């Protein structure tokens, strides 16, 4: 096996790690001010040296790449996204909700399905899409078609407060946490009809896109669900006490 | 997210994120593009609701940006199979910044499945032990060991200039 430094060259390189040393990742968290340095870091020349090297390198980087210059380039690269009128979006879906309440959204069964708790009342997952140039969003039903550049927003109807995550699997099997974006745990959500904040812009990855909305009254981690989807992207993920709704869309070429 | 918050994030995390992108992409120019994309996504999507921005979250966003870039570049330019052995022979002596070297590593990363790549990156880029990788990802320790063996075997084959070693 080649030296790991040859595969992922880092400057400064990782320190030698003894049996009591934290991982280089933990030292980077300390350098970022997220964790306090332990007494070991002060006593260990390798860990302490790595921490000092990171801190010095960051100071040098910030001097050579000034923050104002970087932020100005961000503004030039991409303008702020157009704001949705959430009132307009809710008005669009309100009459549809009455009809959709009678519809059944297919949940793909998993062979070793964990015990699923059904909340009383309607649990619904809706995807709204706004194409570039369009003035009104459209509701995407199962089998709807997406195109790169479409902006998506998600609406859920829940019978009570709890925790929610929305996961996406594209045609290449890549799994992404859409809500809360790239998080490791589900986000709190209120009961009732909720238009989730933020929007997702569809990329040009191959389709189809499958979206899973996962609700649970209690908090839950996303790592096991991501692992399930990466093992078999075609099977709906499951977890104890979770309710899952899925929607599958084709991708326009 | 307002400009003041964005500036604060850049000053605190920008160097670490750029460093990670440079290690994955093996190109300072592409790392600059990836860093910009990371902060564009941070500005647009913000951190998970009710949570603050963390290094772990930024690394996840950065990794996705880098692999999106690797995938995109794969559509534009792939290594000519007839030149693969010649490129592989330069692999061991080339340093960071060599564009052909970077293309080889990217082709390797592009071909490895997402789960194997995630485990390989956590172990070799973040320096996590196999137990720490298992705790972070939720995979079993056995799965981590198995996937890491696959990752290292493929990397070894590429390092040795095996033109027939196709990442799966």
């Amino acid at each position: 096996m080649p030296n790991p430094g040859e595969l992922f060259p880092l400057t400064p390189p990782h320190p030698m790690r003894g049996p009591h040393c934290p991982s280089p990742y933990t030292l980077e968290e300390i350098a970022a001010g997220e964790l306090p340095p332990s007494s070991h870091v002060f006593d260990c020349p390798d860990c302490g040296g790595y921490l000092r090297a990171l801190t010095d390198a960051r100071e040098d980087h910030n001097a050579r790449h000034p923050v104002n210059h970087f932020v100005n380039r961000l503004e030039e690269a991409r303008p702020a996204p157009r704001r949705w009128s959430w009132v307009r979006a809710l008005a669009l879906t309100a009459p549809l909700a009455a009809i959709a309440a009678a519809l059944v959204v297919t949940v793909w069964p998993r062979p070793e399905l964990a015990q699923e708790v059904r909340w009383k009342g309607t649990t619904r997952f809706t995807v709204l899409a706004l194409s570039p140039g369009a003035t009104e969003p459209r509701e995407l039903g199962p089998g709807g078609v997406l195109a790169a550049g479409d902006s998506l927003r998600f609406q859920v109807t829940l019978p009570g407060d709890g925790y929610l995550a929305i996961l996406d699997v594209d045609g290449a099997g890549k799994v992404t946490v859409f809500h809360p974006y790239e998080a490791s745990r589900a986000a709190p959500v209120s009961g009732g009809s909720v238009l989730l904040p933020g929007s997702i812009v569809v990329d040009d990855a191959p389709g189809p896109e499958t979206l899973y909305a996962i609700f649970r009254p209690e908090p839950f981690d996303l790592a096991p669900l991501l692992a399930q989807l990466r093992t078999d992207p075609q099977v709906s993920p499951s977890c104890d006490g979770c309710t899952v709704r899925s929607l599958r869309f084709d991708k326009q070429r | 997210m307002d400009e003041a918050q964005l500036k604060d994030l850049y000053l605190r995390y920008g160097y670490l994120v750029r460093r990670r992108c440079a290690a994955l992409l093996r190109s300072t120019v592409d790392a600059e593009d990836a860093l910009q994309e990371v902060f564009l996504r941070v500005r647009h999507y913000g951190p998970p609701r009710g949570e603050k921005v963390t290094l772990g979250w930024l690394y996840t966003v950065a990794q996705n940006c880098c692999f999106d870039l690797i995938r995109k570049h794969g559509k534009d330019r792939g290594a000519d199979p007839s030149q693969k052995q010649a490129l592989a022979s330069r692999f061991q002596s080339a340093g960071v910044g060599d564009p052909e070297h970077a293309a080889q590593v990217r082709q390797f990363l592009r071909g490895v499945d997402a789960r194997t790549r995630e485990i390989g990156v956590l172990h070799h880029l973040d320096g996590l032990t196999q137990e720490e990788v298992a705790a972070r990802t939720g995979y079993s320790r056995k799965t981590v060991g198995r996937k890491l063996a696959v990752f290292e075997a493929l990397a070894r084959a590429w390092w040795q200039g095996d033109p027939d070693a196709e990442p799966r």
Side-chain angles (χ1 to χ4, degrees):
Chain A
M1 177 62 202
N3 186 325
E6 293 177 321
L7 185 55
F8 299 124
L10 283 167
T11 304
H14 283 165
M16 294 295 294
R17 187 177 178 185
H20 303 293
C21 295
S23 67
Y25 173 78
T26 298
L27 292 172
E28 288 156 25
E29 287 184 300
I30 295 172
E34 290 185 357
L35 294 173
S38 63
S39 58
H40 169 87
V41 171
F42 293 117
D43 296 335
C44 175
D46 294 313
C47 293
Y50 186 62
L51 202 55
R52 278 190 299 277
L54 286 176
T55 305
D56 291 345
R58 182 180 59 202
E59 295 301 318
D60 178 64
H61 166 270
N62 290 344
R64 288 186 293 109
H65 303 278
V67 59
N68 289 334
H69 180 61
F70 180 77
V71 171
N72 287 342
R73 282 195 296 117
L74 279 187
E75 291 298 323
E76 291 165 11
R78 194 180 298 172
R82 179 156 46 121
R83 289 193 173 273
W84 277 52
S85 166
W86 67 269
V87 173
R88 197 188 310 162
L90 281 176
L92 172 73
T93 58
L96 294 173
I99 300 170
L103 297 178
V104 174
V105 177
T106 301
V107 176
W108 297 339
R110 186 177 176 84
E112 56 278 3
L113 187 65
Q115 289 300 312
E116 182 179 356
V117 172
R118 288 219 164 256
W119 287 349
K120 294 178 185 175
T122 301
T123 305
R124 187 164 176 267
F125 172 42
T126 306
V127 177
L128 303 169
L130 185 71
S131 299
T135 55
E136 293 288 341
R138 65 188 191 281
E139 180 174 341
L140 289 176
V145 180
L146 290 173
D150 284 348
S151 177
L152 305 182
R153 290 194 73 174
F154 309 115
Q155 184 174 342
V156 292
T157 303
L158 304 170
D161 296 347
Y163 294 82
L164 172 75
I166 296 176
L167 309 182
D168 170 77
V169 183
D170 69 16
K174 180 185 167 192
V175 183
T176 307
V177 181
F178 274 359
H179 176 83
Y181 186 67
E182 298 292 21
S184 58
R185 294 175 62 79
V189 65
S190 302
S193 187
V194 178
L195 183 65
L196 299 179
S199 60
I200 297 288
V201 178
V202 177
D203 63 15
D204 61 356
E209 300 276 349
T210 307
L211 293 162
Y212 297 97
I214 305 160
F215 323 117
R216 191 170 185 259
E218 296 84 23
F220 60 100
D221 290 326
L222 300 183
L225 297 163
L226 297 176
Q228 288 178 32
L229 282 171
R230 286 167 185 151
T231 299
D232 192 343
Q234 301 301 318
V235 177
S236 178
S238 68
C239 51
D240 286 340
C242 292
T243 301
V244 181
R245 295 288 180 264
S246 64
L247 287 168
R248 190 169 186 267
F249 306 115
D250 292 321
K251 236 11 201 311
Q252 182 180 337
R253 290 189 175 273
Chain B
M1 178 171 292
D2 63 33
E3 188 173 293
Q5 289 173 307
L6 207 64
K7 285 182 177 179
D8 182 64
L9 286 179
Y10 174 82
L11 289 170
R12 192 172 169 192
Y13 295 107
Y15 160 70
L16 290 168
V17 173
R18 183 199 295 267
R19 174 175 175 262
R20 186 178 189 83
C21 294
L24 285 168
L25 298 170
R26 304 178 75 92
S27 161
T28 51
V29 172
D30 288 341
E32 181 64 36
D33 288 344
L35 177 69
Q36 186 167 288
E37 181 62 30
V38 168
F39 274 79
L40 282 170
R41 294 187 189 187
V42 167
R43 185 181 72 178
H44 182 59
Y45 298 115
R49 188 175 172 191
E51 297 180 28
K52 41 182 192 171
V53 173
T54 62
L55 184 65
W57 181 70
L58 285 169
Y59 275 359
T60 299
V61 176
Q63 206 154 296
N64 285 338
C65 289
C66 289
F67 290 135
D68 285 347
L69 203 66
I70 288 173
R71 185 175 59 188
K72 187 180 171 209
H73 283 181
K75 292 179 193 170
D76 301 331
R77 56 172 196 270
D80 183 336
S82 65
Q83 297 174 323
K84 192 184 284 190
Q85 191 155 20
L87 290 173
S89 68
R90 295 180 54 192
F91 196 56
Q92 294 185 21
S93 57
V96 175
D98 183 306
E100 297 298 348
H101 190 208
Q104 280 294 89
V105 174
R106 289 181 195 185
Q107 190 167 0
F108 162 68
L109 290 174
R110 194 165 49 240
V112 178
D113 72 86
R115 182 164 58 160
T116 303
R117 187 177 60 202
E118 178 191 12
I119 289 171
V121 167
L122 282 171
H123 185 68
H124 288 293
L125 181 55
D126 288 317
L128 269 60
T129 63
Q130 294 190 27
E131 288 76 16
E132 288 169 339
V133 172
R136 172 84 70 83
T137 60
Y139 300 137
S140 70
R141 167 69 177 78
K142 196 174 166 185
T143 297
V144 170
R146 202 169 57 236
K147 286 293 176 183
L148 203 54
V150 169
F151 184 88
E152 292 174 354
L154 289 170
R156 195 178 299 120
W158 278 78
W159 245 258
Q160 289 169 353
D162 181 352
D164 296 324
E166 287 290 344
R168 287 185 293 278

